[in-house]
Amino acid sequence: MKITVMGSGYVGLVCAACFANAGHQVSCFDIDGARIEGLQRGVCPVFEPGLDAVIAQARGAGVLDFTADPGACRDAEVIFIAVGTPPGEDGAADICHVLSAAALVGQHLDRQTLVVTKSTVPVGTAEQVRARIARALAERGRKLEFEVAANPEFLKEGAAIADFMKPDRIVIGTDSPWAEKLLRRLYAPFNRHRERIMVMDVRSAELTKYAANAMLATKISFINEIANLAERLGADIEKVRQGMGADPRIGYHFIYPGCGYGGSCFPKDLRALEASALQSGYRPQLLRAVREVNERQKQRLADKILAYYGRQIRGRTFALWGLAFKPHTDDMREAPSRTLLETLWQAGARVRAFDPQAMARCRALYGTRDDLLLVDTKEAAVQGADALVICTEWKGFWAPDFSALYALLKAPVIFDGRNLYDPDQLAALGFDYLAIGRGLVPPDAAGQGRPVRAA
């Protein structure tokens, strides 16, 4: 099938590359000429494991091209709109780029076409897309049949290629038998071993994406709330987590306590869903609580550091392992590391940081500054530091040489925002180990916990 994907961002590139590798003929359009020129030269503008190889394979087979010419919409059978929906001042998703893309479709369409919203958009957006295309066609004096369907993406950063190639579900929102048939043909290569396609009305499909992300964010905030309680009650959240997860009604997914979630999806989508609820006249108390718990949780590591040192950290140097909001990405949007960095700097501390992928992103965000040194190895970050702080659970951090760490650190202190290590083991090695929901006694009269070593 002949497909046009509008938008060469994260979602657009993954969709375009994976559809092309399934045998479809794909044009990926973007108004950013420099970005398109880079893609034509083989430069992938986003980091996603395996994406550059999939793009190169499709380009080599002649089934994927990149263009800044909106005429790519002219004879496409299916057009996917996969552009950004950044948050507005009130948190609501800004769909101006989606509607601009729809206008371009209407200005260049030359055949019966199915237009599909792939971007994460508020309920009712497909109707606005339909109206914008119809208006553009009317201005041209053209009468062409077209349908608008919703097909939200469920891609995890760091695993997007696998998620697209072997999806858990393929949600299609349409009331048109023709559109459903076309999308079933399109997705046939990804729907071979079992039925993954779920067809529903457009509004339900639009809400499904927001609801899914909100549920996952809720699980994270819930376990973090329990972890904070565990610290005050003298319980170990890791043992509590295992006891909870053994219940198949709960499961182990997304109940790992830590220093909060970040990235481009959960924070933005929670705010957008909350804004949609308020606009509809409904006050979403749970959604607001999930968001507020997460914002507080992102401050937990800095609070632990300040409490440990009696709030006197001016002049101290902290080693930071992990900048990206999660492993297998370079994305630092709303990452917990940013809250930590900015709090430490404000208190007068310096940071030596290492991340396998996000160093360039960090440099682009913060530039050159005296209180931030980006180093090439995790060992270089630790050399002579007052303490080690862990923000991202990269596999390379899971099993360090603790003897070497003890020798490299100025003092054997670890603040672990991802609960990677065994408190008993570290206590036996002579470390002060402060994690999330473990290793603290109940708060003292000043309201601060104090570190304890396991027996």
Side-chain angles (χ1 to χ4, degrees):
M1 295 175 66
K2 194 163 187 179
I3 303 167
T4 295
V5 176
M6 304 192 76
S8 64
Y10 182 85
V11 173
L13 284 176
V14 171
C15 292
C18 291
F19 276 134
N21 269 268
H24 300 298
Q25 187 71 42
V26 182
S27 289
C28 188
F29 162 81
D30 203 295
I31 60 173
D32 186 337
R35 192 180 187 92
I36 291 298
E37 184 181 350
L39 284 162
Q40 291 170 340
R41 290 187 286 106
V43 178
C44 185
V46 299
F47 172 74
E48 173 62 32
L51 178 58
D52 51 356
V54 177
I55 290 174
Q57 183 178 343
R59 294 276 287 164
V63 291
L64 174 62
D65 68 87
F66 298 102
T67 180
D69 178 7
C73 301
R74 190 167 291 115
D75 57 353
E77 295 174 73
V78 183
I79 299 171
F80 284 90
I81 297 178
V83 297
T85 53
E89 290 184 6
D90 62 350
D94 184 348
I95 62 170
C96 68
H97 301 306
V98 173
L99 297 181
S100 293
L104 282 175
V105 170
Q107 290 162 14
H108 294 87
L109 205 57
D110 207 26
R111 56 161 294 167
Q112 182 183 17
T113 300
L114 173 61
V115 179
V116 183
T117 54
K118 197 69 169 172
S119 305
T120 301
V121 294
V123 174
T125 298
E127 295 162 16
Q128 295 185 58
V129 167
R130 181 188 300 276
R132 187 62 61 95
I133 294 171
R135 189 170 79 190
L137 286 171
E139 290 170 353
R140 293 169 57 200
R142 298 295 306 273
K143 290 185 178 180
L144 294 172
E145 291 187 16
F146 70 93
E147 292 287 349
V148 177
N151 175 220
E153 53 85 13
F154 297 95
L155 306 176
K156 298 187 296 290
E157 287 193 54
I161 302 300
D163 286 345
F164 196 99
M165 296 292 197
K166 297 179 180 180
D168 297 317
R169 73 285 209 196
I170 301 166
V171 172
I172 295 172
T174 184
D175 56 5
S176 163
W178 173 76
E180 178 185 339
K181 183 178 180 181
L182 203 59
L183 285 170
R184 284 187 177 277
R185 276 183 53 209
L186 179 66
Y187 275 109
F190 312 102
N191 192 43
R192 295 175 64 87
H193 300 299
R194 64 174 176 84
E195 181 59 68
R196 293 177 170 87
I197 291 177
M198 301 177 181
V199 181
M200 59 188 72
D201 62 278
V202 173
R203 283 178 166 254
S204 295
E206 290 171 330
L207 183 56
T208 296
K209 172 59 186 291
Y210 281 113
N213 278 355
M215 183 69 239
L216 297 175
T218 299
K219 293 185 75 173
I220 295 171
S221 282
F222 177 83
I223 197 64
N224 283 334
E225 192 87 301
I226 299 300
N228 296 338
L229 179 60
E231 289 186 3
R232 286 152 179 80
L233 298 178
D236 185 342
I237 190 60
E238 288 302 311
K239 293 182 174 64
V240 174
R241 177 185 67 80
Q242 292 169 26
M244 290 171 54
D247 186 330
R249 296 171 301 174
I250 298 172
Y252 292 103
H253 292 299
F254 283 82
I255 59 166
Y256 290 89
C259 51
Y261 62 76
S264 63
C265 292
F266 288 3
K268 176 176 74 75
D269 291 353
L270 259 292
R271 288 195 294 268
L273 186 56
E274 185 179 344
S276 291
L278 291 171
Q279 289 168 8
S280 73
Y282 180 75
R283 187 165 175 260
Q285 293 174 292
L286 178 59
L287 297 180
R288 177 168 296 182
V290 168
R291 180 172 54 80
E292 290 174 349
V293 166
N294 188 62
E295 289 306 308
R296 187 172 67 235
Q297 197 69 17
K298 287 160 74 170
Q299 191 65 41
R300 288 290 292 149
L301 273 181
D303 288 346
K304 286 176 177 286
I305 293 168
L306 289 168
Y308 184 88
Y309 293 102
R311 309 195 71 81
Q312 300 302 312
I313 62 171
R314 183 170 297 278
R316 291 188 181 274
T317 298
F318 294 93
L320 176 59
W321 284 2
L323 293 163
F325 84 95
K326 71 177 212 176
H328 308 299
T329 181
D330 63 350
D331 195 343
M332 286 185 65
R333 283 174 287 186
E334 305 213 33
S337 65
R338 296 179 64 173
T339 302
L340 175 71
L341 285 168
E342 290 160 19
T343 304
L344 294 180
W345 291 334
Q346 188 175 18
R350 297 183 298 270
V351 178
R352 283 205 301 268
F354 170 75
D355 187 286
Q357 291 295 337
M359 306 286 265
R361 294 287 182 192
C362 187
R363 193 173 291 111
L365 280 169
Y366 294 114
T368 302
R369 46 188 301 156
D370 294 338
D371 49 11
L372 173 64
L373 180 63
L374 300 175
V375 296
D376 294 331
T377 65
K378 62 181 187 290
E379 292 80 13
V382 172
Q383 179 72 53
D386 288 278
L388 168 63
V389 188
I390 300 170
C391 262
T392 315
E393 64 273 30
W394 286 97
K395 280 288 181 69
F397 302 157
W398 284 25
D401 182 336
F402 289 113
S403 297
L405 267 184
Y406 194 99
L408 288 169
L409 284 165
K410 187 181 292 185
V413 183
I414 298 176
F415 299 92
D416 184 357
R418 297 300 175 188
N419 288 4
L420 298 184
Y421 310 135
D422 180 353
D424 292 332
Q425 178 191 8
L426 266 68
L429 292 172
F431 284 88
D432 278 355
Y433 178 63
L434 292 87
I436 303 295
R438 56 198 324 200
L440 287 180
V441 297
D444 59 24
Q448 300 293 346
R450 58 182 176 83
V452 294
R453 295 181 179 180

Coordinates of all heavy atoms in Angstrom, one line a residue, residues 311-359:
R311 N 21.7 19.5 55.4 CA 21.4 20.6 54.4 C 22.6 21.4 54.1 O 22.5 22.5 53.4 CB 20.2 21.5 54.9 CG 19.0 20.8 55.4 CD 17.8 21.7 55.5 NE 17.3 22.2 54.2 CZ 16.5 21.4 53.4 NH1 16.1 20.2 53.7 NH2 16.1 21.9 52.2
Q312 N 23.8 21.0 54.4 CA 25.0 21.7 54.1 C 25.8 21.0 53.1 O 26.6 20.1 53.3 CB 25.9 21.8 55.4 CG 25.2 22.6 56.5 CD 24.7 24.0 56.1 OE1 25.5 24.7 55.6 NE2 23.5 24.3 56.5
I313 N 25.5 21.2 51.8 CA 26.2 20.5 50.7 C 27.0 21.5 49.8 O 27.5 21.1 48.8 CB 25.2 19.7 49.9 CG1 24.2 20.6 49.2 CG2 24.5 18.6 50.7 CD1 23.3 19.8 48.2
R314 N 27.0 22.8 50.2 CA 27.8 23.7 49.4 C 29.2 23.3 49.3 O 29.9 23.0 50.3 CB 27.7 25.1 49.9 CG 28.4 26.2 49.1 CD 28.1 27.6 49.6 NE 26.7 27.9 49.5 CZ 26.1 28.3 48.3 NH1 26.8 28.4 47.2 NH2 24.8 28.5 48.3
G315 N 29.7 23.2 48.0 CA 31.1 22.8 47.8 C 31.3 21.3 47.7 O 32.4 20.9 47.3
R316 N 30.3 20.5 48.0 CA 30.4 19.1 47.8 C 30.2 18.7 46.3 O 29.6 19.4 45.6 CB 29.4 18.3 48.7 CG 29.7 18.4 50.2 CD 28.7 17.5 50.9 NE 29.0 17.6 52.4 CZ 29.9 16.9 53.1 NH1 30.6 16.0 52.4 NH2 30.0 17.1 54.4
T317 N 30.8 17.5 46.0 CA 30.7 17.0 44.6 C 30.0 15.7 44.7 O 30.4 14.8 45.4 CB 32.1 16.8 44.0 OG1 32.7 18.1 43.9 CG2 31.9 16.2 42.6
F318 N 28.9 15.5 43.8 CA 28.2 14.3 43.8 C 28.3 13.6 42.4 O 28.2 14.3 41.4 CB 26.7 14.6 44.1 CG 26.5 15.0 45.5 CD1 26.4 16.4 45.8 CD2 26.3 14.1 46.5 CE1 26.2 16.8 47.1 CE2 26.1 14.5 47.8 CZ 26.0 15.9 48.1
A319 N 28.6 12.3 42.4 CA 28.6 11.5 41.2 C 27.2 11.1 40.9 O 26.4 10.7 41.7 CB 29.5 10.3 41.4
L320 N 26.8 11.3 39.6 CA 25.4 11.0 39.2 C 25.5 10.0 38.1 O 26.1 10.2 37.0 CB 24.7 12.2 38.7 CG 23.3 12.0 38.1 CD1 22.4 11.3 39.2 CD2 22.7 13.3 37.7
W321 N 24.9 8.8 38.3 CA 24.8 7.8 37.3 C 23.3 7.8 36.8 O 22.4 7.5 37.5 CB 25.0 6.4 37.9 CG 26.5 6.1 38.1 CD1 27.6 6.9 37.9 CD2 27.0 4.9 38.7 NE1 28.7 6.3 38.3 CE2 28.4 5.1 38.7 CE3 26.5 3.7 39.1 CZ2 29.3 4.1 39.2 CZ3 27.3 2.7 39.6 CH2 28.7 2.9 39.6
G322 N 23.2 8.2 35.5 CA 21.9 8.2 34.9 C 21.3 9.6 34.7 O 21.1 10.3 35.7
L323 N 21.1 10.0 33.5 CA 20.4 11.3 33.2 C 19.1 11.1 32.5 O 18.2 11.9 32.7 CB 21.4 12.2 32.3 CG 22.7 12.6 33.0 CD1 23.7 13.1 31.9 CD2 22.4 13.8 34.0
A324 N 19.0 10.1 31.6 CA 17.8 9.9 30.8 C 16.7 9.5 31.8 O 16.9 8.9 32.9 CB 18.0 8.8 29.8
F325 N 15.4 9.7 31.4 CA 14.3 9.4 32.3 C 14.1 7.9 32.5 O 13.5 7.5 33.5 CB 13.0 10.0 31.9 CG 12.2 9.3 30.8 CD1 11.2 8.4 31.2 CD2 12.5 9.4 29.5 CE1 10.5 7.7 30.3 CE2 11.8 8.7 28.5 CZ 10.8 7.8 28.9
K326 N 14.7 7.1 31.6 CA 14.7 5.6 31.8 C 15.8 5.1 30.9 O 16.3 5.8 30.0 CB 13.3 5.1 31.4 CG 13.0 5.1 29.9 CD 11.6 4.4 29.7 CE 11.5 3.8 28.4 NZ 10.3 3.0 28.2
P327 N 16.1 3.8 31.0 CA 17.2 3.2 30.2 C 16.7 3.1 28.7 O 15.6 3.2 28.4 CB 17.4 1.8 30.8 CG 16.8 1.8 32.1 CD 15.7 2.8 32.0
H328 N 17.7 2.9 27.8 CA 17.5 2.7 26.4 C 16.9 3.9 25.7 O 16.3 3.7 24.7 CB 16.7 1.5 26.2 CG 17.2 0.2 26.9 ND1 18.4 -0.3 26.7 CD2 16.6 -0.5 27.9 CE1 18.6 -1.3 27.5 NE2 17.5 -1.5 28.2
T329 N 17.2 5.1 26.2 CA 16.8 6.3 25.5 C 17.7 7.4 25.9 O 18.4 7.3 26.9 CB 15.3 6.7 25.9 OG1 14.9 7.9 25.2 CG2 15.2 7.0 27.4
D330 N 17.7 8.5 25.1 CA 18.5 9.7 25.5 C 17.5 10.8 26.0 O 18.0 11.9 26.1 CB 19.4 10.2 24.4 CG 18.6 10.6 23.1 OD1 17.3 10.4 23.1 OD2 19.1 11.2 22.2
D331 N 16.3 10.5 26.2 CA 15.2 11.5 26.5 C 15.4 12.0 27.9 O 15.3 11.2 28.8 CB 13.9 10.9 26.2 CG 12.7 11.9 26.1 OD1 13.0 13.0 26.6 OD2 11.7 11.5 25.7
M332 N 15.5 13.3 28.1 CA 15.6 13.9 29.4 C 14.4 14.8 29.7 O 14.4 15.5 30.7 CB 16.9 14.7 29.6 CG 18.1 13.8 29.7 SD 19.6 14.8 30.1 CE 19.2 15.6 31.7
R333 N 13.3 14.7 28.9 CA 12.2 15.5 29.1 C 11.5 15.1 30.5 O 11.2 13.9 30.7 CB 11.2 15.3 28.0 CG 11.6 16.1 26.7 CD 10.6 15.8 25.6 NE 10.9 14.5 25.0 CZ 10.3 14.1 23.9 NH1 9.4 14.9 23.2 NH2 10.5 12.9 23.4
E334 N 11.4 16.0 31.3 CA 10.8 15.9 32.7 C 11.5 14.7 33.5 O 10.9 14.1 34.3 CB 9.3 15.7 32.6 CG 8.6 16.8 31.8 CD 7.2 17.1 32.3 OE1 7.0 17.0 33.5 OE2 6.4 17.5 31.5
A335 N 12.8 14.4 33.2 CA 13.5 13.4 33.9 C 13.7 13.7 35.3 O 14.0 14.9 35.7 CB 14.8 13.1 33.2
P336 N 13.6 12.8 36.2 CA 13.9 13.0 37.6 C 15.3 13.6 37.8 O 15.6 14.3 38.8 CB 13.8 11.6 38.3 CG 12.8 10.9 37.5 CD 13.1 11.4 36.1
S337 N 16.3 13.2 37.0 CA 17.6 13.8 37.1 C 17.7 15.3 37.0 O 18.5 15.9 37.7 CB 18.5 13.2 36.0 OG 18.1 13.6 34.7
R338 N 16.8 15.9 36.3 CA 16.8 17.3 36.1 C 16.3 18.0 37.4 O 16.9 19.0 37.8 CB 15.8 17.7 35.0 CG 16.3 17.2 33.6 CD 15.4 17.6 32.5 NE 15.3 19.0 32.3 CZ 14.7 19.6 31.3 NH1 14.0 18.8 30.4 NH2 14.6 20.9 31.1
T339 N 15.4 17.4 38.1 CA 15.0 18.0 39.4 C 16.1 17.9 40.4 O 16.4 18.8 41.1 CB 13.8 17.2 40.0 OG1 12.7 17.3 39.0 CG2 13.3 17.7 41.3
L340 N 16.8 16.7 40.4 CA 17.9 16.5 41.3 C 19.1 17.5 41.0 O 19.6 18.2 41.9 CB 18.5 15.1 41.1 CG 19.7 14.8 41.9 CD1 19.4 14.7 43.4 CD2 20.3 13.4 41.5
L341 N 19.5 17.6 39.7 CA 20.5 18.5 39.3 C 20.3 19.9 39.8 O 21.1 20.6 40.4 CB 20.7 18.5 37.8 CG 21.4 17.2 37.2 CD1 21.3 17.2 35.7 CD2 22.9 17.2 37.6
E342 N 19.1 20.4 39.5 CA 18.8 21.8 39.7 C 18.7 22.1 41.2 O 19.1 23.2 41.7 CB 17.5 22.2 39.0 CG 17.7 22.2 37.5 CD 16.4 22.1 36.7 OE1 15.3 22.3 37.2 OE2 16.5 21.7 35.5
T343 N 18.2 21.1 42.0 CA 18.2 21.3 43.5 C 19.6 21.3 44.0 O 19.9 22.1 44.9 CB 17.4 20.2 44.1 OG1 16.1 20.2 43.6 CG2 17.2 20.4 45.6
L344 N 20.5 20.4 43.6 CA 21.8 20.3 44.1 C 22.6 21.6 43.7 O 23.3 22.2 44.6 CB 22.6 19.1 43.5 CG 22.1 17.7 44.0 CD1 22.9 16.6 43.3 CD2 22.1 17.6 45.5
W345 N 22.4 22.1 42.5 CA 23.1 23.3 42.1 C 22.6 24.5 43.0 O 23.4 25.3 43.4 CB 22.8 23.6 40.6 CG 23.5 22.6 39.7 CD1 24.6 21.9 39.9 CD2 23.1 22.3 38.4 NE1 24.9 21.1 38.9 CE2 24.0 21.3 37.9 CE3 22.0 22.7 37.6 CZ2 23.9 20.8 36.6 CZ3 21.9 22.1 36.3 CH2 22.8 21.2 35.8
Q346 N 21.3 24.6 43.2 CA 20.8 25.7 44.0 C 21.4 25.7 45.4 O 21.5 26.7 46.0 CB 19.3 25.6 44.0 CG 18.6 26.8 44.6 CD 17.1 26.7 44.5 OE1 16.5 25.6 44.3 NE2 16.4 27.8 44.7
A347 N 21.7 24.5 45.9 CA 22.3 24.4 47.2 C 23.8 24.5 47.2 O 24.4 24.4 48.3 CB 21.9 23.1 47.9
G348 N 24.4 24.8 46.0 CA 25.8 25.0 46.0 C 26.7 23.8 45.7 O 27.9 23.9 45.9
A349 N 26.1 22.7 45.3 CA 26.9 21.5 45.1 C 27.3 21.4 43.6 O 26.7 22.1 42.7 CB 26.1 20.2 45.5
R350 N 28.3 20.6 43.4 CA 28.7 20.3 42.0 C 28.3 18.8 41.7 O 28.2 18.0 42.5 CB 30.2 20.4 41.9 CG 30.7 21.9 42.1 CD 32.2 21.9 41.9 NE 32.9 21.1 42.8 CZ 33.4 21.5 44.0 NH1 33.1 22.7 44.5 NH2 34.0 20.6 44.8
V351 N 28.2 18.5 40.4 CA 27.8 17.2 39.9 C 28.7 16.8 38.8 O 29.0 17.5 37.9 CB 26.4 17.2 39.4 CG1 26.0 15.8 38.9 CG2 25.4 17.6 40.5
R352 N 29.2 15.5 38.9 CA 29.9 14.8 37.8 C 29.0 13.7 37.3 O 28.7 12.8 38.1 CB 31.3 14.2 38.3 CG 32.3 15.3 38.4 CD 33.7 14.7 38.2 NE 34.0 13.7 39.2 CZ 34.6 13.9 40.4 NH1 34.9 15.1 40.7 NH2 34.8 12.9 41.2
A353 N 28.6 13.8 36.1 CA 27.5 12.9 35.6 C 28.0 12.0 34.5 O 28.8 12.4 33.6 CB 26.3 13.7 35.2
F354 N 27.4 10.8 34.4 CA 27.6 9.9 33.3 C 26.3 9.2 33.0 O 25.5 8.8 33.8 CB 28.6 8.8 33.7 CG 28.7 7.7 32.6 CD1 29.3 7.9 31.4 CD2 28.1 6.5 32.9 CE1 29.3 6.9 30.5 CE2 28.1 5.5 31.9 CZ 28.7 5.7 30.7
D355 N 26.0 9.1 31.7 CA 24.9 8.4 31.1 C 25.3 7.8 29.8 O 25.9 8.5 29.0 CB 23.7 9.3 30.9 CG 22.4 8.5 30.5 OD1 22.3 8.1 29.4 OD2 21.5 8.4 31.4
P356 N 25.0 6.5 29.5 CA 25.4 5.9 28.2 C 24.9 6.6 27.0 O 25.5 6.5 25.9 CB 24.9 4.5 28.3 CG 24.7 4.2 29.8 CD 24.3 5.5 30.4
Q357 N 23.8 7.3 27.1 CA 23.2 7.9 25.9 C 22.8 9.4 26.0 O 22.7 10.1 24.9 CB 21.9 7.1 25.5 CG 22.2 5.7 25.0 CD 22.9 5.7 23.7 OE1 23.0 6.7 22.9 NE2 23.6 4.6 23.4
A358 N 22.6 9.9 27.2 CA 21.9 11.2 27.3 C 22.9 12.4 27.5 O 22.5 13.5 27.8 CB 20.9 11.2 28.4
M359 N 24.2 12.2 27.3 CA 25.2 13.2 27.6 C 25.0 14.4 26.7 O 25.0 15.6 27.1 CB 26.6 12.7 27.4 CG 26.9 11.4 28.3 SD 27.0 11.8 30.0 CE 28.8 11.9 30.1

